[in-house]
Amino acid sequence: MQAAFIRAVLLSFFLLRLRARQYTIDCYIFRLLDVDQLSRLLIHASYGLILMMESNRPSWETYFMDITTLVAKRTTCIRRAVGAVIVKDKRILSTGYNGAPSGVRHCAEVGCLRETLKVQSGMRHELCRGIHAEQNAIIQAAYHGVSVKGASLYCTTQPCSICAKMIINAGITTIYYRSGYADELARDMLAEAGIAVIQISGTEEPKAQSGKPKGDTV
């Protein structure tokens, strides 16, 4: 419907210019064509233009995944930048990124507890001063009284087991992620709960916080 409307507008515009003999340099070539030839030419040109526009348009999944990359840039974690977006009916309900709780000094200021204790990635998630992006997105929705039941969660990184349990009980039905995470328990629980987990690749990798933040909070 939209494509047909654009074609009709383009065709009408050029036909009106031709019939009114309002020739300009940019349409000089059309003097050599009759109305039928011009109509066919413009129809083919409009098809090409529409196809080009549609080919450059991202899918909804890619669109929301790209937004998670932008959200992740707000991270205050010095090890990994993660962003999450909760979506329902193609509408964003809440967002979240990983970092220390509001009012608590950032890890970029006081150092990383997990690095100090030499905790391996995917292990002992409770030994961390920060809140994961998925947790923050769910908390933000709850804080503002927004139900996430039946929603989808987009995240730059596959959720850990703690986040997986929260996602299951929050009623989220689908997870889209870009990068994997070494947590077999999380994958097993999500599969058992019947939550679809889909990997989307090809978007920009977010970077962890490298400098000292200027006193802002999560």
Side-chain angles (χ1 to χ4, degrees):
M1 187 68 177
Q2 184 179 12
F5 175 76
I6 295 174
R7 287 198 299 272
V9 170
L10 288 171
L11 182 59
S12 299
F13 172 75
F14 282 108
L15 288 179
L16 284 172
R17 287 175 60 84
L18 184 65
R19 288 171 180 168
R21 302 186 64 82
Q22 295 177 349
Y23 298 116
T24 58
I25 295 176
D26 63 307
C27 65
Y28 175 79
I29 191 173
F30 295 131
R31 294 183 185 183
L32 305 177
L33 304 174
D34 60 31
V35 173
D36 290 336
Q37 290 174 321
L38 179 59
S39 298
R40 289 192 295 271
L41 176 64
L42 292 176
I43 288 172
H44 287 299
S46 62
Y47 268 122
L49 177 62
I50 292 166
L51 289 174
M52 182 179 66
M53 292 171 60
E54 291 181 347
S55 65
N56 293 330
R57 195 174 183 215
S59 66
W60 282 109
E61 291 79 12
T62 300
Y63 169 72
F64 289 121
M65 185 59 70
D66 286 346
I67 292 175
T68 66
T69 301
L70 177 62
V71 174
K73 293 181 179 180
R74 283 284 302 167
T75 185
T76 59
C77 178
I78 61 179
R79 295 185 67 174
R80 186 192 300 264
V82 182
V85 176
I86 298 178
V87 177
K88 187 174 183 180
D89 298 329
K90 298 184 178 65
R91 300 292 184 268
I92 295 176
L93 302 181
S94 66
T95 66
Y97 52 89
N98 58 328
S102 298
V104 177
R105 288 181 299 167
H106 299 305
C107 298
E109 297 179 79
V110 300
C112 176
L113 177 62
R114 292 176 66 82
E115 284 190 352
T116 301
L117 299 177
K118 302 187 184 305
V119 180
Q120 294 182 359
S121 179
M123 306 292 291
R124 302 297 304 275
H125 301 296
E126 74 279 5
L127 295 177
C128 180
R129 299 179 77 255
I131 302 175
H132 288 190
E134 306 94 312
Q135 298 170 18
N136 263 330
I138 293 172
I139 291 169
Q140 285 298 312
Y143 187 87
H144 293 285
V146 178
S147 172
V148 298
K149 183 178 181 180
S152 297
L153 183 138
Y154 291 78
C155 193
T156 55
T157 304
Q158 182 182 324
C160 70
S161 56
I162 294 178
C163 290
K165 289 182 282 188
M166 293 183 66
I167 290 168
I168 292 169
N169 277 6
I172 291 171
T173 58
T174 307
I175 297 172
Y176 296 92
Y177 73 97
R178 186 187 59 244
S179 302
Y181 188 67
D183 194 327
E184 186 176 351
L185 177 59
R187 291 190 291 270
D188 291 343
M189 286 193 298
L190 291 170
E192 186 177 349
I195 294 178
V197 181
I198 303 167
Q199 185 172 22
I200 298 177
S201 59
T203 51
E204 179 187 357
E205 181 74 23
K207 297 180 180 179
Q209 175 73 39
S210 58
K212 184 177 180 180
K214 298 179 180 179
D216 56 344
T217 58
V218 174

